[in-house]
Amino acid sequence: MDAIKYPQPKDSLKHVTLYNNKSLYIPLLRFNYKNYFCGMATFQFPRQTAFYKGKVRDVYTINDNWLVMVASNRISAFDVILPEPIPYKGQVLNQVATYMLNATKDICPNWLIDAPAPNAALGLRCQPFKIEMVVRGNLTGHSWRTYASGKRELCGVALPEGMKENDYFPTPIITPSTKADAGHDEDISKEEIIAQGIATEEDWAILEKYALALFARGREIAAKRGLILVDTKYEFGKLNGEIYLMDEVHTPDSSRYFYAEGFEERQAAGERQNQLSKEFVREWLIANNFMGKTGQVVPVMDAEWVNTISKRYIELYELVTGSTFIPQDLGDDETYARILASLEKNGVLG
């Protein structure tokens, strides 16, 4: 997806005192495109070389070698940004990702350097592999829909006979998808990835090793909190010839969790599993006749429903991390100042 083009306002000078008491006057873009950006300001940092707006995060490239990711309160489903922001969602995503990146850095190197604000992270810019490494421990979601249609193969991986929805796979499987620049991601097999030159056979072996080890760690962490990590996705990139874990890890947007208590009983009885993820938003949209298809209209999200979604995100944060969620309402100026101080502290600005 190309970066979104938008009119450039006149720069206003913003005075910022850095962590080492240096004073700078730097330009701060003030336009808030509230309907599209969900009220989050768009910044202009010193030595900024690129800006990319994803469905959830705003990504700033600094000096071509660093990234600042600001997680918004936007929420998306079926590749559509829904019309209402979810309070504290950006903080939840950023802080869960930070927690998990720190909890898995012994498995593989990752991009994160600092988290200077509740919804912001600073890290290394890597050259991404154009795939998502989707790891599945249970027959759920897309894998179940594939299975229920009668197919017994997904992304080149054989699916065992005799399984029910939400059953555990004998061992976790990897079902990659393309990381599309535009449009929907598509399933792809290991063989196709190597044949198309998306990753070499040697790189694939490392990606597979890292993805399965990360999933195992994620499951260990979840189990301690009374949860089951059902499936998730990882993104990797290369920097100086080494493979790094990028982006978010084990967050509610990238992962699906079940409650462990009563799981086996519900499976035996053929009952729905209690889950903690963004899936309940997708289910609500489907129930209201929206799946992102042409001509369909996003249903109205009233204040009560928005608040319910926010509470679910906060609940997952507290369950996964074992910590009480502390809402932090920083203004745009304070967020900008903290990020700028981190850039200076970490030597990004020279």
Side-chain angles (χ1 to χ4, degrees), residues 137-141 143-144 147 159 163-169:
N138 298 65
L139 184 64
T140 304
S143 63
W144 166 246
Y147 197 89
L159 304 176
M163 295 186 70
K164 306 190 303 295
E165 184 177 9
N166 301 326
D167 277 352
Y168 286 107
F169 288 112

Side-chain angles (χ1 to χ4, degrees), residues 55-126:
K55 291 190 288 288
V56 172
R57 287 172 175 78
D58 291 354
V59 183
Y60 303 84
T61 303
I62 313 296
N63 273 345
D64 292 326
N65 297 316
W66 298 78
L67 292 180
V68 171
M69 287 193 187
V70 182
S72 74
N73 290 332
R74 298 188 295 268
I75 187 168
S76 70
F78 301 114
D79 290 327
V80 173
I81 299 174
L82 303 185
E84 296 296 332
I86 307 303
Y88 304 112
K89 177 177 178 286
Q91 181 182 342
V92 166
L93 291 184
N94 192 62
Q95 292 185 337
V96 170
T98 299
Y99 175 86
M100 289 295 182
L101 286 165
N102 287 327
T104 56
K105 60 186 178 183
D106 61 314
I107 295 173
C108 64
N110 67 59
W111 78 286
L112 183 67
I113 298 298
D114 190 20
N119 65 332
L122 166 68
L124 302 170
R125 179 175 178 264
C126 306

